[in-house]
Amino acid sequence: MRFRHPDGSTVHLAYCTNVHPAETLDGVLAQLRDHCEPVRRRLGRDRLGIGLWLARDAAHALVTDPAALRGLRTELDRRGLEVVTLNGFPYEGFGAEEVKYRVYRPDWADPERLEHTTALARVLAGLLPDDVTDGSISTLPLAWRTAYDDARADKARTALLTLAERLDALEELTGRSIRVALEPEPGCVIETTHDAIGPLTAIGHDRVGICVDTCHLATSFEDPHTALDALTEARVRVVKSQLSAALHAEHPRLPDVRDCLAAFAEPRFLHQTRTLTAGGLHGTDDLDEALAGEALPDTAPWRAHFHVPLHAAPAAPLTSTLPVLKDALSRLVGGPHPLTRHLEVETYTWQALPPELRPRARAQLTDGIAAELTLARDLLTDLGLKELP
């Protein structure tokens, strides 16, 4: 979906396909047929943006076979779909029964991460619509915080500078400008937007910026305006933003609140949980750890890294951080010029929701994703953007 900003620029809205995990190119093609095109039709649009997640095997197949890449581009066009952004965070296995800490491997100190992201950039250059020259790739924020020392930090910085040089060369070759975006996430080396400023300033290359995920922003209790003002002042480019909402519990001390939270503690994904007290930010690596004993203070609200559907907040006594998303979006695209032109709805946890909230059929998932995109579209038009055909 495309929108015209009052300054005349085009803002792209997509939804991320990591909600339909597939490891192979055949699986990706099946996603387009079974999910992405039905969402477009449900919205009544001739064109729909998707943020593709390409696992290692799918990316390798596309970058080593020009015919396969042309075939994917043809399939996108045939189904009324377009791609301007990729989710390069998960490397493989995102559809596994247990993902947890595995999603952070390989990290930016491992050569596999550089080679995979290079492959993604080459693929994206071949998938961009004919009238679009700028693409974006979100990626993990360097590494998970443990086992990350100065030596690995140097390797990560060198890898990102090498990637930036490759992206420069790619633009010279193709005329397509691809940028990579480090995505702050709780528990990682870069947990917050503030944490990102130092490393990105040290890298000092326009090809490497930040992806602002509004669920992660909210989970770490960051104020959107303060965070985005600091990024602007530091001249850190917001390459893309993922529109998502975290799980919020206002009174985690109450037994009924804890019972409701326990329904969201599930074995597949990591749900980092945070609380902000007068003593600062406190956290656990997962929601079940927060609920077990006294690992986390319970005198102030808790937020958990659980991407809940944008249009359907959990039932009371829980809610979502949708207000944080709205505040961030107003700053991202509500000003005289957009801070980013790539927006991506990223609710990948539909099948991790408590059983009674999960979509029971493919059509229900289609309806849910379409409802999220409708909400995002309405937020954008309320900010003065005009939806384009």
Side-chain angles (χ1 to χ4, degrees), residues 306-373:
F306 195 118
H307 291 223
V308 296
L310 302 187
H311 67 292
L318 304 180
T319 187
S320 81
T321 60
L322 183 62
V324 177
L325 183 159
K326 292 179 178 179
D327 284 348
L329 194 60
S330 69
R331 184 71 176 84
L332 287 165
V333 300
H337 304 287
L339 298 183
T340 184
R341 291 183 288 124
H342 290 179
L343 305 172
E344 180 183 69
V345 171
E346 198 216 10
T347 306
Y348 60 84
T349 42
W350 282 92
Q351 299 303 335
L353 290 166
E356 66 275 12
L357 300 179
R358 295 174 196 168
R360 299 183 181 276
R362 187 181 296 168
Q364 287 181 301
L365 179 58
T366 296
D367 289 346
I369 294 170
E372 289 192 292
L373 287 167

Side-chain angles (χ1 to χ4, degrees), residues 179-200:
R179 290 183 171 84
V180 67
L182 304 185
E183 180 185 333
E185 176 164 311
C188 292
V189 172
I190 297 176
E191 170 155 340
T192 66
T193 57
H194 176 76
D195 295 338
I197 291 174
L200 288 173

